Amino acid sequence: MWNWLKNIFDHQQRQLKRLKPIVAEINGWEAKIKALSNAKLKEKTAEFRSRLAQGEREELILPEAFAVVREAARRTLQMRHYDVQLMAGIVLHEGKIAEQKTGEGKTLSATLALYLNALTGQGAHLVTVNDYLARRDCEWMGPIFHLLGLTVGCLNHEQAYLFQPPAAKEKETINPAHLGRGDFLVPVTRQEAYRADITYGTNNEFGFDYLRDNMVYDLSEMVQTCPRGDYGVHHFAIVDEVDFLLIDQARTPLIISIPQEESNELYLKFARLVPQLLPEYYEIDEKRKTVHLTELGIAKIEKLLGVKNLYQNFALVHHLEQAIRAYKLFQRDRDYIVQDNQVIIVDEFTGRLMPGRRYAEGLHQAIEAKEGVPIQKESKTLATITFQNYFRLYQKLAGMTGTAITEAEEFQKIYNLEVVVIPTHRPVIRRDYADRIYKNQRAKYAAIIAEIKEKYQQQQPVLIGTTSVEKNELISKLLKRHHIPHQVLNAKNHQREAEIIARAGEKGAVTVATNLAGRGTDIKLGPGVKELGGLHVIGTERHEARRIDLQLRGRSGRQGDPGSSRFYVALDDDLMRIFGGEQIARLMERFNFPEDQPIEHPLISKQIAAAQKRVEGFNFDLRKHLVEYDDVINKQREIIYQLRRQILTNQGIEERIARFLEEKGAPLKTKYEEKMASFSPAERKALPRLIYLQTLDQLWMDHIDLLDELRRGVQLRGYAQRDPLVEFKNEAFQTFKTLMERLDQEAITRLLRIEVISAPTLDRPQITNLRAEQEKISYTIPSSETNGTAASSPTQPFRKSEKQKLGRNDPCWCGSGKKYKKCHGRG
């Protein structure tokens, strides 16, 4: 252990020693750059671009370019990058993670690497955790880039923007007090926002735009372009709060889906059944959040359902287990809330509500049935990707956060990202008190309220960090009972959240928040607060991950300010109970202290640290396990999306068709040529592309579902001493091979069956696809919501010109699939 810590410390020292000469070189440019006029400063951008185009390496331009950005920040925002921020900028440019403590100015540090990497014309992205921060940072840092002649875009869920000072204020300097209100953000298309030199946006927006771009039927509909016009370029990205997005959110896939028509009867049936089951009928694993029926439980369920063998119908077992999970492992106001007759997930790390997100595999429906709210239909996946694999698309990826070193191994192994700890601008003087440990919850909360009351009477501001919305509300009730005014943050409104958290450092302020609420917003101390000891942070329990605790502590003591922090722990906290195991139970029996007396013992402190390490290791294994499986799907997705891009640009379609027809022989080839001869030149060019895209999309959607089922099924093969991952890889390869073989067969078969019917209300012909029996095959271009919710995709009817005569047995012009005589031809 000590050797590991020593190696980490030595490596960090070597990194800082390497960075210092580069910082000195940047500082050496300062006087020369200061002497330039605004116009000459802007000309530096064109000069740097020319030098890069001639083959000069970015590293040689870096010192002067960073000096230019620092001067632009000084002139526009009256902010000059500190030397430690220059270090962070270098680390980000090198494609590493810069760990900067809270309040050290990550947003300003990022401008250095963003500017240098945007000079290539391929675009640079800054990824944030919510819309408010994306807008704020785009507008806040916009004047720097504007002065240097670069464009800045911003992606929000509802709208995209460009930073643009109004014409009346088109001066080279902008009053910083006017920033952050949206006055300088002009609404534009998403494509325009991506074509900006630098684009700010959330992880969800970048990820969903990537998926949607790979569902379009015309190249012009793609939005992820770069300034020089290339499609699908992922050049450089800085991920803010990188530990949250790449670790905490790593197991949350982005999904675009459409609803399926399925009955909700089983969900309702098992929601009524589960409360009748005795605990001995099933086993619960709280660590993995799984349930398994016991032999006794299987016999009881078979009797209740009237079936001989429960496992002959896997759907019954699946619905039953999800119903038990919904009742026994997912709690209202902890894991989810019920609002407006809907079940809304609560993020386990931040306490934020996640409207639109749904638990997978029917769990969400099971919870809806449990809570008696309308059950939404299950959905069919159209496209999906994990954050792990989306961000690995970038040629160069960097990250910023206040806490990354504890997860350095995972960043290195999964993302090939090195963590560099940046020193603070001023020494941290915050006092971190030892944990206060109590026997049970009642004693712990009594002690927490007593400390809050004491600090409130002294007018010292207090920030109370909790691990859930439920705990937030509990603390709030206790504070109301003691008549202590306070603010509660349940992370429902990011802008209001940022405003509240920013005022948490004022005299007498008491703020209750989930541990990461307001992340990205500094808490500045009000007048006279330093003399009172600064902001005092109270943690109501230890989080599963040590870095979340460090993030909470780091809200206090920014930029050399005074501050203090203390955590409260009960021996029956979830962390201690689930992961502490028998040792904690023995300790509880050993200590016969009065409830209101805190326990101080090195054994307990060791158990807390050991429990956190066990959870971190356990979660790391889960994420590593997920990425191993997802890597298989990711490689196949890359092949499909590459093929899709080729089809979109009409590359290789004729060769595929010719090869297929050659294999099938003359009669099919003749039939194909006759069909193509019946089309106009424009149709001959457009139809194969359209049909190939439709066919590929349908096959890929079915393949995603198949792989999902396969992933669940292969786990059982471990009991037969066969590696589930190897089994999954083998079968996934075979099914993908089948998909590729079926593509040409099905696409060309459909081409032979289509008929083009003119439409009076449209400028171009519509296409109706008919089976041999003249039944309609419905092909739709799916639409989707950015938040991953199910979205309907109705098939538009194909209209026929009234001038064209239809026979009685011809398919009806409306696209119903019926013969004309049995549809609009009746009567």
Side-chain angles (χ1 to χ4, degrees):
M1 177 64 179
W2 287 112
N3 285 337
W4 180 79
L5 287 173
K6 185 176 183 297
N7 289 338
I8 288 285
F9 179 77
D10 288 347
H11 177 72
Q12 295 300 326
Q13 290 300 109
R14 287 195 298 272
Q15 287 292 323
L16 297 180
K17 187 177 179 180
R18 179 183 66 84
L19 294 172
K20 285 178 181 177
I22 306 174
V23 171
E25 192 175 350
I26 298 167
N27 289 334
W29 280 97
E30 188 164 18
K32 187 175 180 181
I33 298 298
K34 265 188 179 181
L36 298 176
S37 66
N38 284 346
K40 290 292 184 185
L41 199 62
K42 181 179 285 189
E43 287 174 9
K44 280 291 178 184
T45 298
E47 178 195 320
F48 293 145
R49 281 180 161 160
S50 174
R51 288 164 62 182
L52 287 171
Q54 292 171 21
E56 191 168 347
R57 291 186 298 114
E58 291 172 343
E59 286 69 24
L60 297 177
I61 293 173
L62 184 150
E64 187 179 1
F66 276 27
V68 164
V69 176
R70 176 154 71 176
E71 180 59 21
R74 190 186 68 80
R75 294 185 190 186
T76 56
L77 304 179
Q78 289 78 61
M79 300 172 76
R80 178 184 176 275
H81 295 75
Y82 301 131
D83 283 1
V84 290
Q85 289 173 314
L86 297 179
M87 287 183 178
I90 298 165
V91 168
L92 294 172
H93 167 70
E94 292 174 341
K96 299 174 182 175
I97 293 174
E99 178 178 293
Q100 289 176 280
K101 301 303 177 191
T102 302
E104 289 295 306
K106 294 191 291 291
T107 307
L108 188 62
S109 300
T111 58
L112 300 159
L114 288 172
Y115 173 77
L116 180 54
N117 285 273
L119 295 174
T120 63
Q122 294 175 287
H125 298 165
L126 192 289
V127 187
T128 65
V129 294
N130 62 54
D131 282 351
Y132 164 73
L133 291 178
R135 283 195 312 274
R136 184 202 71 177
D137 293 355
C138 172
E139 190 172 31
W140 190 13
M141 298 295 110
I144 299 174
F145 303 119
H146 182 71
L147 177 60
L148 298 176
L150 296 186
T151 53
V152 190
C154 171
L155 299 169
N156 271 192
H157 174 46
E158 299 294 339
Q159 181 64 59
Y161 304 92
L162 276 181
F163 175 82
Q164 180 62 61
K169 298 182 181 179
E170 191 63 47
K171 296 179 180 178
E172 296 297 355
T173 57
I174 299 167
N175 186 345
H178 295 160
L179 297 171
R181 303 182 306 198
D183 297 343
F184 302 99
L185 296 180
V186 178
V188 294
T189 65
R190 295 183 87 76
Q191 196 173 68
E192 288 176 289
Y194 275 108
R195 289 202 177 195
D197 296 299
I198 293 160
T199 307
Y200 287 78
T202 67
N203 51 322
N204 284 345
E205 297 309 306
F206 283 113
F208 278 120
D209 281 342
Y210 170 72
L211 292 178
R212 281 194 296 270
D213 273 1
N214 286 285
M215 294 169 65
V216 301
Y217 277 63
D218 193 285
L219 203 62
S220 64
E221 296 169 12
M222 295 183 74
V223 297
Q224 282 195 340
T225 60
C226 69
R228 68 186 189 193
D230 297 337
Y231 289 96
V233 172
H234 293 83
H235 168 54
F236 174 71
I238 298 175
V239 180
D240 194 11
E241 310 297 359
V242 66
D243 55 328
F244 172 68
L245 292 182
L246 297 192
I247 292 183
D248 298 338
Q249 295 285 297
R251 288 160 55 197
T252 306
L254 296 170
I255 299 173
I256 295 178
S257 57
I258 54 174
Q260 293 194 98
E261 296 295 326
E262 288 194 2
S263 170
N264 293 323
E265 185 183 338
L266 280 177
Y267 292 113
L268 294 169
K269 185 175 185 176
F270 284 117
R272 293 190 293 267
L273 181 65
V274 167
Q276 305 172 35
L277 301 181
L278 299 175
E280 54 263 35
Y281 291 159
Y282 48 82
E283 293 175 350
I284 293 176
D285 187 334
E286 288 190 76
K287 291 182 184 179
R288 294 176 174 81
K289 288 200 170 183
T290 58
V291 298
H292 299 286
L293 294 171
T294 62
E295 292 296 327
L296 194 63
I298 293 169
K300 179 66 175 179
I301 296 296
E302 287 173 344
K303 185 177 179 182
L304 288 172
L305 296 178
V307 297
K308 289 185 178 180
N309 186 343
L310 181 65
Y311 283 85
Q312 280 185 343
N313 188 336
F314 184 75
L316 290 178
V317 180
H318 176 72
H319 278 77
L320 177 61
E321 290 184 347
Q322 296 296 50
I324 298 173
R325 289 179 73 204
Y327 270 92
K328 301 299 179 183
L329 291 170
F330 289 80
Q331 291 182 21
R332 184 169 177 165
D333 293 331
R334 184 192 72 183
D335 301 294
Y336 64 90
I337 67 166
V338 176
Q339 189 179 83
D340 299 330
N341 231 15
Q342 292 183 357
V343 171
I344 301 176
I345 298 174
V346 176
D347 188 280
E348 62 178 309
F349 296 99
T350 66
R352 287 195 173 104
L353 300 184
M354 304 170 74
R357 288 283 181 89
R358 293 178 63 80
Y359 294 117
E361 300 175 7
L363 175 61
H364 210 98
Q365 286 85 350
I367 295 172
E368 288 169 334
K370 163 191 167 184
E371 296 294 345
V373 302
I375 302 172
Q376 296 184 28
K377 290 182 171 63
E378 289 196 58
S379 57
K380 181 175 181 64
T381 300
L382 303 181
T384 179
I385 193 170
T386 59
F387 286 127
Q388 288 170 319
N389 278 317
Y390 173 71
F391 286 111
R392 290 197 295 180
L393 290 171
Y394 282 89
Q395 297 164 19
K396 184 162 63 172
L397 184 66
M400 311 184 293
T401 182
T403 48
I405 197 65
T406 57
E407 312 294 339
E409 181 185 5
E410 182 165 353
F411 281 124
Q412 185 67 55
K413 286 186 175 178
I414 292 182
Y415 301 100
N416 196 27
L417 285 172
E418 183 182 338
V419 177
V420 179
V421 179
I422 306 299
T424 55
H425 177 56
R426 294 191 178 96
V428 177
I429 59 172
R430 181 187 65 243
R431 295 185 64 184
D432 296 326
Y433 294 106
D435 293 359
R436 283 191 173 159
I437 304 163
Y438 291 84
K439 288 180 69 175
N440 54 44
Q441 299 291 314
R442 182 174 59 249
K444 180 181 78 171
Y445 282 109
I448 288 171
I449 296 301
E451 180 162 8
I452 295 170
K453 193 172 184 179
E454 177 190 334
K455 299 294 182 185
Y456 175 68
Q457 289 169 348
Q458 297 169 359
Q459 288 291 285
Q460 184 178 0
V462 183
L463 173 67
I464 303 101
T466 68
T467 56
S468 69
V469 173
E470 180 188 32
K471 301 288 172 60
N472 260 17
E473 292 174 353
L474 172 60
I475 291 286
S476 181
K477 284 178 185 175
L478 294 172
L479 290 173
K480 286 175 183 174
R481 194 177 297 168
H482 288 81
H483 308 292
I484 300 174
H486 59 282
Q487 293 276 7
V488 178
L489 286 184
N490 284 343
K492 295 178 184 177
N493 183 310
H494 296 135
Q495 184 152 357
R496 175 164 161 72
E497 169 189 318
E499 291 166 359
I500 291 174
I501 207 78
R503 294 197 300 270
E506 295 175 0
K507 266 190 178 180
V510 176
T511 310
V512 185
T514 49
N515 281 355
L516 295 183
R519 191 168 179 173
T521 305
D522 285 345
I523 300 176
K524 296 181 180 178
L525 302 184
V529 171
K530 286 185 180 180
E531 291 73 18
L532 296 172
L535 176 69
H536 182 60
V537 170
I538 293 176
T540 58
E541 61 187 279
R542 286 288 191 172
H543 196 274
E544 290 181 352
R546 288 169 293 171
R547 62 193 163 76
I548 306 297
D549 292 343
L550 294 174
Q551 282 278 358
L552 180 60
R553 281 197 199 275
R555 307 314 297 263
S556 173
R558 60 178 294 280
Q559 284 291 315
D561 286 343
S564 54
S565 70
R566 188 193 303 278
F567 278 86
Y568 284 79
V569 178
L571 293 181
D572 56 353
D573 282 345
D574 286 346
L575 173 70
M576 308 298 284
R577 181 176 55 80
I578 298 172
F579 291 92
E582 296 177 359
Q583 298 94 327
I584 296 299
R586 285 198 293 268
L587 287 170
M588 289 178 72
E589 291 174 7
R590 184 186 305 177
F591 294 111
N592 293 315
F593 290 92
E595 275 192 3
D596 60 351
Q597 184 176 335
I599 304 165
E600 293 183 9
H601 197 286
L603 272 177
I604 297 178
S605 299
K606 279 185 179 178
Q607 285 303 321
I608 293 171
Q612 286 182 308
K613 285 176 188 172
R614 273 197 292 275
V615 181
E616 288 169 356
F618 177 77
N619 288 333
F620 176 32
D621 288 341
L622 286 179
R623 290 189 292 267
K624 186 168 176 287
H625 184 69
L626 174 71
V627 84
E628 286 172 343
Y629 279 86
D630 201 53
D631 276 346
V632 178
I633 302 170
N634 192 54
K635 285 170 186 168
Q636 295 181 0
R637 177 170 45 236
E638 286 175 0
I639 293 169
I640 292 293
Y641 285 177
Q642 184 180 12
L643 175 58
R644 208 177 185 284
R645 187 76 55 81
Q646 290 172 353
I647 295 171
L648 269 176
T649 53
N650 281 317
Q651 295 177 30
I653 297 181
E654 291 183 5
E655 291 83 352
R656 292 185 74 97
I657 293 173
R659 188 166 56 247
F660 177 81
L661 294 175
E662 194 66 35
E663 291 173 1
K664 291 297 178 183
L668 181 48
K669 187 176 182 181
T670 303
K671 193 175 180 183
Y672 179 82
E673 288 170 352
E674 289 173 353
K675 174 61 74 172
M676 289 296 110
S678 69
F679 299 142
S680 70
E683 290 163 356
R684 281 197 292 274
K685 183 178 180 182
L687 290 177
R689 183 185 68 188
L690 178 62
I691 297 302
Y692 255 92
L693 287 173
Q694 291 174 335
T695 306
L696 181 61
D697 286 351
Q698 187 62 55
L699 291 173
W700 177 240
M701 283 187 283
D702 293 341
H703 185 70
I704 291 172
D705 287 344
L706 192 151
L707 289 184
D708 198 39
E709 291 176 15
L710 178 61
R711 184 189 296 194
R712 290 197 297 267
V714 295
Q715 301 308 315
L716 297 173
R717 301 186 192 179
Y719 294 109
Q721 304 301 311
R722 288 150 70 187
D723 187 336
L725 180 60
V726 173
E727 295 286 304
F728 178 74
K729 285 180 177 179
N730 290 338
E731 295 205 19
F733 172 76
Q734 291 301 326
T735 57
F736 187 71
K737 186 179 175 185
T738 302
L739 180 157
M740 299 302 283
E741 289 168 352
R742 286 178 60 195
L743 174 61
D744 293 320
Q745 172 75 49
E746 296 205 13
I748 293 169
T749 301
R750 290 173 184 181
L751 269 169
L752 292 173
R753 291 177 179 170
I754 64 170
E755 294 181 14
V756 177
I757 303 173
S758 60
T761 56
L762 299 173
D763 294 331
R764 57 185 180 180
Q766 295 289 306
I767 302 165
T768 172
N769 305 278
L770 303 173
R771 293 188 186 276
E773 304 79 16
Q774 295 184 326
E775 292 177 353
K776 181 169 177 289
I777 303 173
S778 173
Y779 296 105
T780 60
I781 301 174
S783 60
S784 61
E785 298 288 339
T786 55
N787 59 10
T789 55
S792 64
S793 181
T795 304
Q796 297 298 320
F798 298 104
R799 305 198 177 275
K800 178 159 180 68
S801 170
E802 294 177 0
K803 293 180 181 177
Q804 185 174 347
K805 297 284 186 181
L806 277 181
R808 285 171 49 77
N809 290 318
D810 286 338
C812 186
W813 54 265
C814 72
S816 65
K818 297 179 182 179
K819 292 181 180 180
Y820 177 68
K821 67 183 180 182
K822 293 185 178 180
C823 192
H824 282 74
R826 284 185 299 179

